[in-house]
Amino acid sequence: QVHLVESGGGLVQPGGSLRLSCLASGSIFNIGAMGWYRQAPGKERELVATISNNDRTNYADSVKGRFTISRDNAKITVYLQMNSLKPEDTAVYFCRVERLGYTYWGRGTQVTVSS
């Protein structure tokens, strides 16, 4: 089992920045891809960004150039630096980790972009 805890969400004005963190614990050996997804009210969960265990990254078109995903394998943590935030970025952000064919999700952290 892998336990994921997200942090760093909150309320920010348009144009502002936030940095999300997701710490993995439990069976942390052989963790593969890590990523961030988000779900806005009334919408389906969508991919934001992923990073492989050899640091290959993938981003949703809507966040390219504004968000940066990174990982610290020593700390078993994945980060999401979010800059130039827009109201449409408002959502619950979920951390996702793959390990030996299984997928694990965190409980999410709320990000609200509003003036």
Side-chain angles (χ1 to χ4, degrees), residues 38 40 43 46 62 66 85-91 93 113:
R38 67 186 181 188
K43 295 187 176 182
E46 63 176 5
S62 59
R66 300 188 298 123
L85 282 160
K86 305 175 181 179
E88 50 264 43
D89 294 318
T90 295
Y93 284 70
V113 185

Side-chain angles (χ1 to χ4, degrees), residues 42-63:
K43 295 187 176 182
E44 294 187 352
R45 192 172 298 188
E46 63 176 5
L47 178 147
V48 176
T50 61
I51 183 166
S52 70
N53 53 7
N54 59 359
D55 291 338
R56 181 171 296 178
T57 58
N58 178 52
Y59 295 93
D61 288 343
S62 59
V63 307

Side-chain angles (χ1 to χ4, degrees), residues 4 6 20-22 31-38 46-52 56 58 69-71 77-80 93-98 103-106:
L4 302 172
E6 302 100 333
L20 305 183
S21 300
C22 173
I31 283 184
M34 306 178 82
W36 290 94
Y37 290 69
R38 67 186 181 188
E46 63 176 5
L47 178 147
V48 176
T50 61
I51 183 166
S52 70
R56 181 171 296 178
N58 178 52
I69 189 170
S70 61
R71 63 190 285 169
T77 301
V78 60
Y79 304 97
L80 186 69
Y93 284 70
F94 297 90
C95 176
R96 178 182 184 269
V97 163
E98 296 177 359
T103 299
Y104 300 90
W105 292 91

